[in-house]
Amino acid sequence: MKYIMGLDIGTTGCKANVFDQNGNVCAHAYREYLYLERGGIIDAEGVWDEVCSAVGECTADFPEIEAICTTSFGESAVPVDEQGNALSGAILYTNANAVKEWEYLDQKVGSARIAAVTGHISHPMYTVSRLLWMKKNQEELYKRTHKFLFFAGFIERKLGAKCCAENTLAARSMAYDVRKGVWSTEICQAAGIDMEKLPKIVKAGDQIGLVSEKLVKQFGMKKSPAILAGGHDQPCVALGMGAIHGGDVAYGMGTVECFTLVLDEFQQSTAMQKAHLVCAPHVAEGKFVTYGVLFSGGIVLSDLRNKMYGKEREDARREGRDVYEVMVDEMPDSTEGLYYLPHLAGTGTPQMNTADRGVIYGLTMDTARGALVRAALEGIAYDMRLNVENMEACGLPVNRILAAGGGARSEKGVQVRSDILQRNIYKTRDVQAGTRGVYYIAAKALGWIDDYENGIPVPDGDWLEPKCDPDETDQKYKKYLELYERTKGL
């Protein structure tokens, strides 16, 4: 038998899945990171150690791997030496250290020009501002750096590939010319970034190397698999869900809550810029995507898990259960008067304000932890409803919503979102959309499928319909927005 391994490098953990030629998941491993530092710094070599552990668990039973394809979160860059070793931790996109550098670049190039070149709204979260910050504040580290790699590129390099950046990840740098498909000389020169320190841009499915002989022996593989370029996690999730037509939405319910809306063509408008809606390449060539995002989606629930469900988490781990099911089972039917603004890492779209903070309003002596879980889920859903409204106000239709990510495991959690969005949401039985997306990329590259249009079915699942009173939901949504207006900037 021949198999493809898909890797999904997230901000809180990594996944490895083995797929057969029919797309069946044959092996799965997950490792959660234990070394996220304060200030949004992530230990890149520590992530690599966890990836190796997950890969080794899968290849113990399935050593006949034909290809490995990787997806990861974007924006964060790992400085590496010529051997691909990390020279420092990587700064996550939630860290607000580069605001002054961004302001300098934004004034020098101009917001409108940045949007025209990159398809992205000028913002300090993107990679180029962080590289400028490093050049100013960590000059010696900047000089020693051979290449700056996104996390997928870092993992690919450690496996044995060349230093590369797939174009959907390069697009998240704010230094990528989205129409020409190259690094923008104009923006890099304005930022004073040495372009030779940037990796070669490739497309999803391009072969960029072979797994090293050392790792082949370490993992017990039969041969050196091809390393194929993957891409940014959100377009890969969309591909894994079969979201390849304009109006399709892959609703990623992971660490970051994200609406990935597929566009049939490149689109930009003043309304989109005001709503912080980007236009970025899809991994499905010729298609584009825009994002509605809340940076602290699943982070809010994992925070409640860690602080209020410690014993239950340990019990669930021993018994092989999911502690999140314990949490949602404790939710009451209503949280009248209780609101949770889930902005632990600032707001996402449309405000994109990294200075905003989370707020819990309406606590009483009788508030139970299950009520906080429900209020957190409702707060996440209110933010995403705002994103749907902004997309449609910009003339971008939202036709069908397909749920993906770890949060999609919970029918109760998806139902809360359906009720508040007042939209039907498709809940798949297979939540491995990120690794399934890179499986499809690799399967197409290997000739196992001819094209995405005919080779990607929507995974098995069920449509969930809103069950609550729409008028009551609308009133609570208005109160949520009012609470945000009253508390933002405090």
Side-chain angles (χ1 to χ4, degrees), residues 218-271:
Q218 178 180 324
F219 298 142
M221 295 174 173
K222 297 293 186 182
K223 63 176 184 179
S224 292
I227 304 171
L228 304 177
H232 185 216
D233 53 4
Q234 302 302 343
C236 287
V237 165
L239 186 67
M241 291 298 298
I244 54 176
H245 303 287
D248 287 347
V249 169
Y251 187 174
M253 302 174 184
T255 303
V256 172
E257 196 93 351
C258 184
F259 257 63
T260 303
L261 174 64
V262 179
L263 309 173
D264 284 329
E265 59 186 5
F266 184 84
Q267 290 183 250
Q268 275 189 327
S269 67
T270 302

Side-chain angles (χ1 to χ4, degrees), residues 174-219:
M174 209 177 83
Y176 173 78
D177 191 317
V178 69
R179 296 175 187 271
K180 296 179 180 179
V182 298
W183 295 116
S184 169
T185 302
E186 177 184 357
I187 291 176
C188 289
Q189 286 182 347
I193 300 302
D194 301 291
M195 295 185 70
E196 66 269 16
K197 293 184 179 291
L198 302 178
K200 177 184 177 182
I201 294 175
V202 297
K203 292 184 178 180
D206 285 354
Q207 182 168 336
I208 54 178
L210 296 172
V211 175
S212 69
E213 288 296 331
K214 177 183 176 182
L215 291 176
V216 168
K217 291 179 181 179
Q218 178 180 324
F219 298 142

Side-chain angles (χ1 to χ4, degrees), residues 140-155:
E140 190 58 35
L141 174 60
Y142 179 86
K143 288 179 179 178
R144 289 169 52 214
T145 298
H146 173 61
K147 297 288 182 184
F148 291 100
L149 300 178
F150 297 103
F151 260 87
F154 170 67
I155 298 302

Side-chain angles (χ1 to χ4, degrees), residues 6-55:
L7 301 177
D8 185 351
I9 314 303
T11 52
T12 55
C14 60
K15 300 174 187 175
N17 278 2
V18 173
F19 296 87
D20 66 18
Q21 289 182 269
N22 297 315
N24 300 310
V25 177
C26 302
H28 168 70
Y30 175 77
R31 299 290 186 273
E32 188 165 326
Y33 314 138
L34 301 176
Y35 33 74
L36 280 171
E37 302 175 21
R38 291 182 64 85
I41 308 295
I42 187 168
D43 177 0
E45 290 291 340
V47 171
W48 168 242
D49 290 342
E50 300 298 344
V51 170
C52 288
S53 176
V55 170

